[in-house]
């Protein structure tokens, strides 16, 4: 007997936001395995461009490098945005920078938190991780159809410093643990979607340089000695001369090298 396909999770509610591209439908789940896994099941359908899956809790949240992402129910923004971007925007580096800069903007506007982006996918405050991103891409399966990107965002909102310690996460932070006051998860989630939407409009208009400069600023490493760990396992030390979607430029003595952002697994300050 053939196995019955698993039933699709049912959202407990849906929001419709007054945006241009994203969040025309936000499917809100009380509980789901993973919003990224859910959004990946929709990547065959470009008419769903801009759909957002948002969860109050996840039982199998996915993190970077095959790790899991855990968060107590109702404590965090757990969302995945499904987009079918035009060619120049499809690169993982652009997708991650887009999401990371939007979350940094939200942290600043909503909570007066000045956050930094840690290459490639983390947002840190005072050296502690407040947010992580997982970008997963799929083809639609039809030759001429666009590539889909699922941009997963896990942003800690309400956990206190004690909660994070008790959960065995001494290197994690949340908006509340940093700002010392409460925040509403849904309001923060909406704010993230609005910021992403505004930035997407700029990107579609061909303006990648605004995002590039904000990304550069939040990385905070220009002119500093850094170590680039490459995807092939090798490392490159050097002073960081430039960071952009076109390349990352390092000077090591008299040698200047330019690396594709996607070739760099980690980029960390060395002093
Ligand atoms: C990381 O820093 O390891 C990436 C974390 C990404 C977690 C988010 S939570 C919402 C979305 N759904 C998932 O399963 N993962 C991402």
């Amino acid at each position: 007997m053939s196995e019955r396909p698993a039933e699709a999770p049912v959202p407990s509610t849906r929001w419709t936001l007054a945006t241009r591209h994203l969040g025309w439908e936000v499917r809100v789940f009380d509980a789901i395995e993973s919003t990224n896994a859910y959004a990946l099941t929709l990547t065959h359908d470009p008419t769903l461009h801009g759909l957002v899956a948002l969860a109050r809790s996840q039982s199998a949240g996915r993190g970077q490098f095959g790790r899991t992402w855990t968060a107590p129910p109702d404590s965090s923004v757990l969302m995945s945005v499904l987009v079918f971007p035009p060619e120049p925007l499809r690169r993982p580096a652009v997708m991650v920078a887009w999401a990371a800069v939007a979350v940094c903007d939200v942290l600043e506007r909503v909570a007066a938190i000045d956050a930094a982006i840690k290459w490639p996918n983390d947002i840190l405050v005072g050296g502690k991780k407040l947010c992580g991103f997982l970008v997963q891409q799929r083809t639609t399966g039809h030759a001429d159809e666009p590539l889909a990107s699922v941009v997963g965002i896990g942003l800690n909102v309400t956990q206190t410093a004690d909660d994070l310690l008790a959960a065995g996460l001494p290197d994690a932070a949340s908006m509340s643990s940093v700002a010392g006051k409460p925040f509403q998860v849904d309001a923060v989630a909406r704010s993230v979607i609005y910021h992403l939407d505004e930035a997407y409009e700029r990107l579609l208009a061909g303006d990648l340089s605004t995002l590039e400069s904000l990304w550069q600023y939040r990385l905070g490493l220009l002119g500093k000695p850094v170590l680039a760990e490459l995807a092939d396992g090798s490392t490159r030390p050097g002073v960081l001369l430039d960071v952009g979607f076109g390349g990352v430029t390092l000077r090591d003595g008299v040698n200047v090298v330019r690396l594709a952002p996607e070739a760099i697994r980690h980029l960390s300050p060395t002093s």
Side-chain angles (χ1 to χ4, degrees):
M1 215 166 70
S2 63
E3 249 180 65
R4 257 203 294 165
E7 274 171 38
V10 180
S12 59
T13 180
R14 292 168 201 256
W15 303 342
T16 302
L17 303 186
T19 45
R20 277 169 284 199
H21 307 281
L22 312 176
W24 54 272
E25 177 159 330
V26 181
R27 296 185 183 169
V28 184
F29 299 89
D30 286 337
I32 196 169
E33 280 188 13
S34 150
T35 54
N36 262 43
Y38 174 75
L40 284 168
T41 65
L42 307 175
T43 51
H44 61 281
D45 185 357
T47 66
L48 297 179
H49 169 77
L51 185 135
V52 176
L54 180 74
R56 314 263 187 232
S57 72
Q58 295 184 126
S59 56
R62 299 179 180 181
Q64 298 160 42
F65 309 118
R67 293 194 286 250
T68 53
W69 183 265
T70 53
D74 296 313
S75 68
S76 307
V77 173
L78 305 168
M79 75 162 57
S80 299
V81 180
L82 173 63
V83 281
F84 294 81
E87 182 93 49
L89 308 183
R90 276 183 210 161
R91 293 176 50 195
V94 176
M95 291 283 97
V96 172
W98 168 53
V101 165
V103 170
C104 285
D105 284 352
V106 169
L107 292 173
E108 192 164 313
R109 301 250 179 100
V110 173
I113 293 173
D114 186 20
I117 298 174
K118 178 170 174 256
W119 190 285
N121 285 11
D122 296 340
I123 291 185
L124 303 187
V125 179
K128 295 191 174 197
K129 180 162 167 175
L130 195 106
C131 182
F133 304 91
L134 178 65
V135 173
Q136 297 184 284
Q137 298 187 308
R138 293 281 185 278
T139 57
T140 50
H142 309 286
D144 298 332
E145 296 285 345
L147 188 75
S149 294
V150 169
V151 180
I153 303 174
L155 167 62
N156 297 334
V157 179
T158 66
Q159 299 96 320
T160 63
D162 286 345
D163 292 338
L164 294 162
L165 280 179
L169 300 167
D171 297 326
S174 74
M175 290 175 65
S176 291
S177 77
V178 173
K181 57 181 185 181
F183 295 95
Q184 250 214 338
V185 177
D186 282 359
V188 175
R190 284 170 192 255
S191 190
V192 171
I193 298 168
Y194 284 124
H195 277 79
L196 283 168
D197 187 66
E198 268 175 31
Y200 198 83
E201 171 74 8
R202 272 197 301 275
L203 290 173
L204 272 191
D207 172 11
L208 270 87
S209 59
T210 301
L211 176 61
E212 230 169 9
S213 351
L214 293 168
W215 185 44
Q216 233 176 42
Y217 166 71
R218 291 289 177 186
L219 283 165
L221 295 174
L222 272 194
K224 298 196 175 153
V226 295
L227 186 71
E229 295 175 49
L230 307 190
D232 66 8
S234 63
T235 54
R236 294 287 182 101
V239 172
L240 187 66
L241 299 184
D242 189 29
V243 179
F245 300 128
V248 172
T249 312
L250 297 179
R251 180 169 42 78
D252 183 17
V254 291
N255 297 321
V256 173
V257 287
R258 200 161 164 81
L259 305 161
E262 283 85 359
I264 304 177
R265 209 171 147 93
H266 294 293
L267 187 71
S268 356
T270 47
S271 65

